[in-house]
Short mmCIF file of all heavy atoms in Angstrom, two decimals:
data_model
loop_
_atom_site.label_atom_id
_atom_site.label_comp_id
_atom_site.label_asym_id
_atom_site.label_seq_id
_atom_site.Cartn_x
_atom_site.Cartn_y
_atom_site.Cartn_z
N ALA C 10 -35.21 -80.33 208.42
CA ALA C 10 -35.16 -78.86 208.93
C ALA C 10 -35.02 -78.90 210.49
O ALA C 10 -35.32 -79.86 211.09
CB ALA C 10 -36.47 -78.12 208.62
N LEU C 11 -34.36 -77.78 210.98
CA LEU C 11 -34.00 -77.76 212.30
C LEU C 11 -34.08 -76.29 212.81
O LEU C 11 -33.53 -75.35 212.07
CB LEU C 11 -32.56 -78.31 212.55
CG LEU C 11 -32.10 -78.36 214.02
CD1 LEU C 11 -33.04 -79.29 214.94
CD2 LEU C 11 -30.60 -78.80 213.96
N SER C 12 -34.70 -76.06 213.93
CA SER C 12 -34.80 -74.64 214.33
C SER C 12 -34.34 -74.66 215.82
O SER C 12 -34.85 -75.57 216.70
CB SER C 12 -36.25 -74.16 214.41
OG SER C 12 -36.47 -72.87 214.86
N VAL C 13 -33.35 -73.82 216.18
CA VAL C 13 -32.85 -73.86 217.52
C VAL C 13 -32.61 -72.33 217.94
O VAL C 13 -32.58 -71.41 217.22
CB VAL C 13 -31.40 -74.61 217.61
CG1 VAL C 13 -31.45 -75.97 217.19
CG2 VAL C 13 -30.28 -73.78 216.74
N PRO C 14 -32.57 -72.14 219.32
CA PRO C 14 -32.30 -70.84 219.85
C PRO C 14 -30.83 -70.51 219.68
O PRO C 14 -29.96 -71.44 219.72
CB PRO C 14 -32.76 -70.99 221.40
CG PRO C 14 -32.63 -72.39 221.61
CD PRO C 14 -33.00 -73.19 220.36
N GLU C 15 -30.45 -69.31 219.62
CA GLU C 15 -29.07 -68.82 219.55
C GLU C 15 -28.27 -69.43 220.71
O GLU C 15 -28.72 -69.42 221.79
CB GLU C 15 -29.00 -67.28 219.57
CG GLU C 15 -27.71 -66.71 219.44
CD GLU C 15 -27.75 -65.20 219.29
OE1 GLU C 15 -28.85 -64.68 219.46
OE2 GLU C 15 -26.59 -64.63 219.07
N GLY C 16 -27.08 -69.77 220.42
CA GLY C 16 -26.23 -70.30 221.49
C GLY C 16 -26.15 -71.78 221.70
O GLY C 16 -25.24 -72.32 222.27
N GLU C 17 -27.04 -72.42 221.09
CA GLU C 17 -27.21 -73.93 221.21
C GLU C 17 -26.06 -74.66 220.38
O GLU C 17 -25.82 -74.03 219.34
CB GLU C 17 -28.57 -74.46 220.78
CG GLU C 17 -29.24 -75.02 222.07
CD GLU C 17 -30.57 -75.79 221.61
OE1 GLU C 17 -30.56 -76.57 220.61
OE2 GLU C 17 -31.46 -75.51 222.35
N ASN C 18 -25.61 -75.76 220.87
CA ASN C 18 -24.84 -76.54 219.98
C ASN C 18 -25.72 -77.56 219.30
O ASN C 18 -26.71 -78.03 219.72
CB ASN C 18 -23.80 -77.45 220.86
CG ASN C 18 -23.00 -76.55 221.71
OD1 ASN C 18 -22.49 -75.30 221.32
ND2 ASN C 18 -22.59 -76.99 222.96
N LEU C 19 -25.34 -77.88 218.06
CA LEU C 19 -26.33 -78.79 217.35
C LEU C 19 -25.41 -79.67 216.36
O LEU C 19 -24.31 -79.50 216.08
CB LEU C 19 -27.16 -77.87 216.47
CG LEU C 19 -26.65 -76.92 215.53
CD1 LEU C 19 -26.71 -77.55 214.07
CD2 LEU C 19 -27.34 -75.61 215.56
N VAL C 20 -26.14 -80.77 215.98
CA VAL C 20 -25.48 -81.79 215.09
C VAL C 20 -26.43 -82.07 213.87
O VAL C 20 -27.57 -82.34 214.09
CB VAL C 20 -25.26 -83.11 215.97
CG1 VAL C 20 -24.76 -84.21 214.97
CG2 VAL C 20 -24.29 -82.85 217.14
N LEU C 21 -25.80 -82.00 212.67
CA LEU C 21 -26.52 -82.40 211.44
C LEU C 21 -25.90 -83.74 211.00
O LEU C 21 -24.73 -84.02 211.15
CB LEU C 21 -26.24 -81.36 210.50
CG LEU C 21 -26.62 -79.86 210.77
CD1 LEU C 21 -26.37 -78.93 209.63
CD2 LEU C 21 -28.05 -79.72 211.27
N ASN C 22 -26.96 -84.62 210.55
CA ASN C 22 -26.37 -86.00 210.18
C ASN C 22 -26.52 -86.14 208.69
O ASN C 22 -27.30 -85.59 208.00
CB ASN C 22 -27.30 -86.98 210.94
CG ASN C 22 -27.20 -86.85 212.39
OD1 ASN C 22 -26.28 -87.29 212.87
ND2 ASN C 22 -28.26 -86.30 213.07
N CYS C 23 -25.62 -86.98 208.19
CA CYS C 23 -25.43 -87.40 206.86
C CYS C 23 -25.14 -88.80 206.70
O CYS C 23 -24.30 -89.33 207.47
CB CYS C 23 -24.37 -86.48 206.09
SG CYS C 23 -24.11 -86.98 204.49
N SER C 24 -25.76 -89.61 205.87
CA SER C 24 -25.40 -90.95 205.67
C SER C 24 -25.40 -91.31 204.23
O SER C 24 -26.15 -90.63 203.42
CB SER C 24 -26.60 -91.82 206.39
OG SER C 24 -27.87 -91.71 205.86
N PHE C 25 -24.58 -92.24 203.86
CA PHE C 25 -24.48 -92.66 202.50
C PHE C 25 -24.39 -94.19 202.37
O PHE C 25 -24.03 -94.89 203.37
CB PHE C 25 -23.11 -91.99 201.74
CG PHE C 25 -21.89 -92.09 202.72
CD1 PHE C 25 -21.02 -93.07 202.45
CD2 PHE C 25 -21.68 -91.08 203.67
CE1 PHE C 25 -19.84 -93.22 203.24
CE2 PHE C 25 -20.48 -91.26 204.39
CZ PHE C 25 -19.56 -92.36 204.24
N THR C 26 -24.88 -94.61 201.22
CA THR C 26 -25.04 -96.07 201.16
C THR C 26 -23.93 -96.85 200.71
O THR C 26 -23.77 -98.06 201.10
CB THR C 26 -26.19 -96.33 200.17
OG1 THR C 26 -25.99 -95.72 198.94
CG2 THR C 26 -27.56 -95.86 200.77
N ASP C 27 -22.96 -96.28 199.96
CA ASP C 27 -21.77 -96.94 199.54
C ASP C 27 -20.51 -96.33 200.12
O ASP C 27 -20.31 -95.14 200.01
CB ASP C 27 -21.71 -96.80 198.01
CG ASP C 27 -20.62 -97.67 197.33
OD1 ASP C 27 -19.67 -98.17 198.09
OD2 ASP C 27 -20.64 -97.96 196.11
N SER C 28 -19.82 -97.09 200.94
CA SER C 28 -18.62 -96.64 201.62
C SER C 28 -17.42 -96.29 200.70
O SER C 28 -16.32 -95.82 201.15
CB SER C 28 -18.15 -97.49 202.75
OG SER C 28 -17.86 -98.77 202.17
N ALA C 29 -17.51 -96.65 199.36
CA ALA C 29 -16.35 -96.43 198.45
C ALA C 29 -16.40 -95.04 198.05
O ALA C 29 -16.89 -94.66 196.99
CB ALA C 29 -16.41 -97.36 197.32
N ILE C 30 -15.87 -94.16 198.83
CA ILE C 30 -15.80 -92.67 198.50
C ILE C 30 -14.38 -92.15 198.66
O ILE C 30 -13.53 -92.68 199.39
CB ILE C 30 -16.74 -91.84 199.44
CG1 ILE C 30 -16.36 -91.98 200.93
CG2 ILE C 30 -18.18 -92.29 199.36
CD1 ILE C 30 -17.02 -90.99 201.83
N TYR C 31 -14.11 -91.06 197.94
CA TYR C 31 -12.77 -90.40 197.96
C TYR C 31 -12.84 -89.48 199.20
O TYR C 31 -11.87 -89.41 199.94
CB TYR C 31 -12.57 -89.52 196.70
CG TYR C 31 -11.89 -90.40 195.61
CD1 TYR C 31 -12.40 -90.27 194.37
CD2 TYR C 31 -10.74 -90.93 195.84
CE1 TYR C 31 -11.73 -90.84 193.29
CE2 TYR C 31 -10.00 -91.68 194.80
CZ TYR C 31 -10.52 -91.65 193.55
OH TYR C 31 -9.98 -92.22 192.42
N ASN C 32 -13.97 -88.71 199.31
CA ASN C 32 -13.95 -87.81 200.40
C ASN C 32 -15.42 -87.37 200.63
O ASN C 32 -16.33 -87.83 199.86
CB ASN C 32 -13.06 -86.59 200.12
CG ASN C 32 -13.41 -85.92 198.90
OD1 ASN C 32 -14.64 -85.58 198.44
ND2 ASN C 32 -12.46 -85.50 198.08
N LEU C 33 -15.79 -86.66 201.61
CA LEU C 33 -16.95 -86.16 201.89
C LEU C 33 -16.88 -84.65 202.13
O LEU C 33 -15.97 -84.12 202.75
CB LEU C 33 -17.63 -86.86 203.05
CG LEU C 33 -19.09 -86.43 203.44
CD1 LEU C 33 -19.77 -87.64 203.92
CD2 LEU C 33 -19.03 -85.26 204.53
N GLN C 34 -17.83 -83.85 201.62
CA GLN C 34 -17.60 -82.41 201.73
C GLN C 34 -19.01 -81.83 202.25
O GLN C 34 -20.04 -82.22 201.85
CB GLN C 34 -17.39 -81.83 200.33
CG GLN C 34 -16.75 -80.50 200.37
CD GLN C 34 -16.16 -80.05 199.02
OE1 GLN C 34 -16.00 -80.91 198.18
NE2 GLN C 34 -15.82 -78.78 198.83
#
Side-chain angles (χ1 to χ4, degrees):
Chain C
L11 180 64
S12 181
V13 300
E15 182 177 3
E17 248 189 42
N18 303 325
L19 59 100
V20 175
L21 307 181
N22 297 291
C23 172
S24 61
F25 46 96
T26 54
D27 187 343
S28 61
I30 62 170
Y31 273 126
N32 57 45
L33 183 144
Q34 201 165 347

